[in-house]
C-alpha cells in the first residue's frame, strides 16, 4: 500500500471494519455471571513485549508474593480484538486470548477474538468499550486522541507522550470527550512502592526534604546499521506512521519473532526518550505522589547527560536535579552500573525502596510495621492497574492514575531532558507548563509529528 495514500485516507479504516470478521458474542450461558454481555469489551492495540506479556497475561512478583493481573485475569473484562503491525505478534496474542477463554467454556473451544492491522478499525467498532494502548511511545497521543473522539475509554502505556505540548493535547481531548482514562503503570499498586508513599504522606519521616532516584543502567549504544529487508510479517510503513521514513533495520524496531527482549526503538530518540522517560514514568509518579504534587510539578531543573552519536541515541549517564516550591529537592542519576531505587529523606529519617518490585527499609525499622490511624492515608488495599481501570469504566469513577497525572509525571522527564540538552539551569512554571524567560527551552516543549496526517 502506498504510504501517502494510506495515511491520508483514514476513512478507509472505518469502512474496512465491515469487511473484518467481527466475532459473534457468545451466549451468556457460556460464561455465567461473567458473560461477555456483562463485561467491558476491550481492544488491545499493540501486542509486543509489554502488550502481550504484562498487559494481556500479567506477571508474578515472587519476591513480594504478589501477582500483577493482566487483562485476561480481570473477570469484568473481555478482550475481543487485538491489533498490531507485526502479524506474528498479533497471532500469538490471539492464540493466547482464545486459549484462555476456551478453558472457561464447557466445550473447551472459543473463537471470539478478531485481528486488525490498523488500529482505527478497533476504534471504529461500536461493540468495543475500551482500548488498551501498548504501542511504541510516539503512537500514544495520536491513538489516544482518536480513541477519545470515538468515546472509547482509554488505558495507555507509559510514557504517555513525546513532549509536554503533546501530552497536554491528549489530556484536553480526554476532558472534552469525557472518557474514563488511566496511565498504565503498576508502581502505585506494588506494595513496597505505595507503602513508602503512605509513610511519607502520613509524616512518619517528618517533613519531606529530599528524594533521591537511581535509574537502571543502559546497554552500550548500537552504532549505525546496514539497511535490511523488511520482514514479511511487519507492516513497516504503518509502524513508522507519523514519523519520517527511514530504511528498515531491526535494531531500530524490534527483534523479529521475540517477545522477551526489550524493543530496540526504546533507545532511539525519534520513537522514545530513553531511561529518564521509561523509568521516570514510574519513579517520578510515586515521587510526585509522596510529595503531594501529582497535579503540579517542580519549579526549577538543571542537569547534564550524554547523547550518543549512534543509532541508539537516547540520553544516557545523566544527573538531573529538580526543586519544588515547597523546598523539596529531587535528584535522579543513571550511570553504567546504576540500579533502580528511590529514597525519601525527611527531617526525622529516611525510607528507601531498593530495586524492583522493591525491598523497603528505613532509618527507623519500626516505621515499616506502623499502621495508618484515623484519617491517615491507607494504600494497603490499592487495586492493581488493570482491575482499577476496568472497575472505573464500569462505575464511572476516576482511576487511581488518570492520564492528567501521567502527563504531569512524564513532563518531569521531558523538562529534565530539555535541561540537559540546553545545558542551563531552567525555571519552570508548572501551572502554565512553560519555562520562564528561555525561548530556546520553550521551543523544545513541542514535538510536532512529521506526518501532518497524524497531527490531531
Amino acid at each position: 500500500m502506498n504510504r501517502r495514500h494510506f495515511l491520508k485516507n483514514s476513512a478507509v479504516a472505518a469502512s474496512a471494519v465491515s469487511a473484518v470478521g467481527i466475532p459473534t458474542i457468545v451466549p451468556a450461558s457460556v460464561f455465567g455471571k461473567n458473560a461477555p454481555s456483562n463485561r467491558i469489551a476491550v481492544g488491545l492495540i499493540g501486542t509486543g513485549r509489554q502488550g502481550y506479556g504484562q498487559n494481556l497475561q500479567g506477571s508474578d512478583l515472587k519476591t513480594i508474593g504478589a501477582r500483577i493481573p493482566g487483562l485476561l485475569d480481570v473477570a469484568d473484562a473481555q478482550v475481543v480484538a487485538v491489533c498490531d503491525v507485526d502479524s506474528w505478534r498479533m497471532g500469538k496474542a490471539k492464540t493466547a486470548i482464545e486459549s484462555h477463554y476456551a478453558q472457561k467454556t464447557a466445550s473447551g473451544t472459543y473463537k471470539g477474538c478478531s485481528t486488525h492491522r490498523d488500529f482505527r478499525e478497533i476504534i471504529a467498532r461500536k461493540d468495543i468499550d475500551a482500548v488498551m494502548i501498548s504501542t511504541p511511545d510516539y503512537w500514544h497521543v495520536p491513538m489516544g486522541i482518536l480513541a477519545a473522539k470515538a468515546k472509547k475509554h482509554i488505558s495507555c502505556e507509559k510514557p504517555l507522550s513525546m513532549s509536554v505540548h503533546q501530552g497536554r493535547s491528549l489530556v484536553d481531548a480526554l476532558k472534552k470527550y469525557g472518557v474514563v482514562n488511566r496511565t498504565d503503570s503498576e508502581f502505585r499498586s506494588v506494595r513496597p512502592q505505595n507503602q513508602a508513599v503512605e509513610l511519607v504522606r502520613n509524616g512518619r519521616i517528618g517533613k519531606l526534604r529530599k528524594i533521591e532516584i537511581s535509574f537502571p543502567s543502559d546497554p552500550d549504544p548500537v552504532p549505525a546499521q546496514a539497511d535490511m529487508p523488511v520482514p514479511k510479517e511487519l507492516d513497516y510503513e504503518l509502524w513508522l506512521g507519523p514519523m519520517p521514513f527511514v530504511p528498515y533495520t531491526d535494531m531500530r524496531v524490534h527483534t523479529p519473532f521475540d517477545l522477551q527482549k526489550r524493543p530496540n526503538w526504546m533507545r532511539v530518540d525519534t520513537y522514545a526518550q530513553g531511561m529518564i522517560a521509561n523509568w521516570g514514568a514510574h519513579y517520578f509518579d510515586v515521587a510526585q505522589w509522596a510529595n503531594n504534587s501529582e497535579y503540579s510539578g517542580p519549579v526549577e531543573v538543571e542537569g547534564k547527560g550524554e547523547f550518543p552519536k549512534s543509532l541508539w541515541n537516547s540520553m544516557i549517564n545523566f544527573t538531573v536535579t529538580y526543586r519544588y516550591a515547597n523546598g523539596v529537592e529531587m535528584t535522579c542519576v543513571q550511570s553504567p552500573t546504576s540500579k533502580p531505587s528511590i529514597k525519601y529523606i525527611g527531617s526525622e529519617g529516611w525510607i528507601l525502596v531498593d530495586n524492583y518490585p522493591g525491598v523497603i527499609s528505613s532509618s527507623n525499622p519500626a516505621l515499616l510495621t506502623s499502621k495508618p490511624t484515623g484519617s491517615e492515608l491507607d494504600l494497603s488495599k490499592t487495586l492493581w492497574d488493570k482491575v482499577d481501570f476496568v472497575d472505573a469504566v464500569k462505575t464511572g469513577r476516576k482511576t487511581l492514575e488518570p492520564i492528567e497525572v501521567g502527563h504531569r509525571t512524564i513532563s518531569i522527564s521531558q523538562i529534565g531532558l530539555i535541561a540537559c540538552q540546553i545545558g542551563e539551569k531552567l525555571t519552570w512554571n508548572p501551572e502554565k507548563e512553560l519555562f520562564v524567560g528561555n525561548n530556546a527551552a520553550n521551543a523544545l516543549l513541542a514535538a510536532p509529528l512529521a506526518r501532518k496526517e497524524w497531527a490531531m
Side-chain angles (χ1 to χ4, degrees):
M1 184 178 293
N2 180 278
R3 175 179 173 82
R4 182 176 306 222
H5 288 169
F6 180 85
L7 291 174
K8 289 181 68 174
N9 298 331
S10 60
V12 172
S15 61
V17 175
S18 62
V20 175
I22 298 175
T24 303
I25 298 298
V26 296
S29 57
V30 173
F31 289 98
K33 69 176 183 178
N34 289 319
S37 58
N38 297 326
R39 293 176 174 182
I40 301 301
V42 180
L44 177 62
I45 303 175
T47 59
R49 174 176 175 263
Q50 190 72 9
Y52 176 81
Q54 189 79 11
N55 295 339
L56 183 62
Q57 301 192 87
S59 62
D60 293 319
L61 300 179
K62 294 180 180 179
T63 58
I64 62 171
R67 173 169 174 76
I68 304 177
L71 287 168
L72 293 180
D73 297 313
V74 183
D76 287 336
Q78 183 187 6
V79 183
V80 300
V82 291
C83 171
D84 206 294
V85 295
D86 184 320
S87 60
W88 178 82
R89 291 180 165 204
M90 182 163 58
K92 295 283 285 185
K94 175 183 171 69
T95 298
I97 291 164
E98 293 188 336
S99 174
H100 174 84
Y101 291 137
Q103 295 174 24
K104 300 181 182 300
T105 66
S107 65
T109 60
Y110 177 77
K111 301 294 180 184
C113 178
S114 64
T115 58
H116 307 261
R117 184 183 64 176
D118 187 339
F119 73 92
R120 290 168 295 188
E121 294 176 1
I122 283 184
I123 289 173
R125 281 179 52 173
K126 301 298 184 184
D127 64 323
I128 290 179
D129 305 303
V131 293
M132 170 77 245
I133 300 174
S134 309
T135 61
D137 301 356
Y138 65 97
W139 267 117
H140 292 170
V141 170
M143 288 181 176
I145 291 176
L146 284 174
K149 288 180 177 179
K151 297 286 188 176
K152 299 292 187 259
H153 305 295
I154 300 164
S155 180
C156 186
E157 261 297 339
K158 55 80 195 163
L160 280 174
S161 71
M162 293 290 288
S163 76
V164 174
H165 287 181
Q166 231 187 40
R168 178 51 59 192
S169 68
L170 176 58
V171 172
D172 290 345
L174 295 169
K175 290 179 180 177
K176 179 178 180 180
Y177 296 104
V179 295
V180 173
N181 57 88
R182 195 188 199 283
T183 307
D184 191 74
S185 168
E186 79 279 6
F187 259 52
R188 289 193 170 211
S189 306
V190 175
R191 184 53 181 158
Q193 302 292 338
N194 70 32
Q195 183 185 9
V197 171
E198 176 185 293
L199 292 168
V200 173
R201 287 278 294 267
N202 290 338
R204 297 295 193 271
I205 58 172
K207 180 177 173 56
L208 181 62
R209 289 179 173 170
K210 191 172 184 179
I211 303 171
E212 297 177 345
I213 297 171
S214 175
F215 291 93
S217 60
D218 267 314
D220 292 337
V222 169
Q225 303 285 300
D227 298 352
M228 299 173 62
V230 177
K232 64 180 182 179
E233 71 276 0
L234 177 67
D235 185 336
Y236 183 54
E237 299 289 338
L238 187 51
W239 184 88
L240 288 169
M243 293 307 177
F245 177 80
V246 285
Y248 172 83
T249 171
D250 60 10
M251 297 307 290
R252 186 192 312 279
V253 185
H254 56 252
T255 303
F257 307 110
D258 192 306
L259 287 167
Q260 300 299 318
K261 291 180 181 177
R262 180 168 287 178
N264 300 318
W265 55 260
M266 294 179 71
R267 306 287 187 248
V268 182
D269 69 5
T270 308
Y271 316 115
Q273 293 175 319
M275 197 62 76
I276 195 170
N278 182 34
W279 272 75
H282 289 309
Y283 276 145
F284 293 149
D285 173 47
V286 291
Q288 288 251 103
W289 200 16
N291 191 39
N292 200 18
S293 57
E294 59 186 337
Y295 288 93
S296 181
V299 296
E300 190 176 271
V301 56
E302 59 183 318
K304 60 181 181 179
E306 299 175 19
F307 294 87
K309 297 185 183 300
S310 60
L311 175 61
W312 286 8
N313 62 348
S314 58
M315 184 175 71
I316 58 173
N317 301 332
F318 50 84
T319 300
V320 184
T321 300
Y322 304 86
R323 296 176 184 88
Y324 286 82
N326 64 357
V328 171
E329 180 180 274
M330 180 169 69
T331 61
C332 64
V333 298
Q334 187 207 38
S335 75
T337 59
S338 56
K339 296 180 180 180
S341 69
I342 184 166
K343 186 175 186 179
Y344 305 92
I345 302 170
S347 59
E348 298 174 19
W350 54 263
I351 294 170
L352 170 69
V353 185
D354 197 27
N355 222 315
Y356 176 82
V359 176
I360 189 168
S361 60
S362 174
S363 55
N364 178 5
L367 294 182
L368 305 182
T369 57
S370 67
K371 303 295 183 183
T373 60
S375 60
E376 288 186 330
L377 187 65
D378 185 350
L379 301 173
S380 61
K381 295 181 175 59
T382 301
L383 296 176
W384 286 101
D385 45 338
K386 307 300 185 297
V387 179
D388 174 55
F389 174 61
V390 172
D391 182 72
V393 172
K394 294 196 75 170
T395 62
R397 64 168 175 80
K398 183 188 292 187
T399 61
L400 178 63
E401 190 176 353
I403 281 178
E404 167 77 33
V405 171
H407 161 65
R408 291 290 187 170
T409 294
I410 205 59
S411 293
I412 297 176
S413 302
Q414 289 157 350
I415 66 172
L417 178 60
I418 291 171
C420 293
Q421 291 169 327
I422 294 290
E424 299 176 16
K425 182 186 292 186
L426 301 173
T427 300
W428 176 247
N429 185 323
E431 283 68 47
K432 294 183 178 180
E433 295 186 311
L434 289 170
F435 292 107
V436 178
N438 196 311
N439 292 333
N442 282 327
L444 298 176
L445 292 173
L449 301 175
R451 304 290 301 191
K452 293 183 179 179
E453 294 90 334
W454 294 105
M456 302 305 161

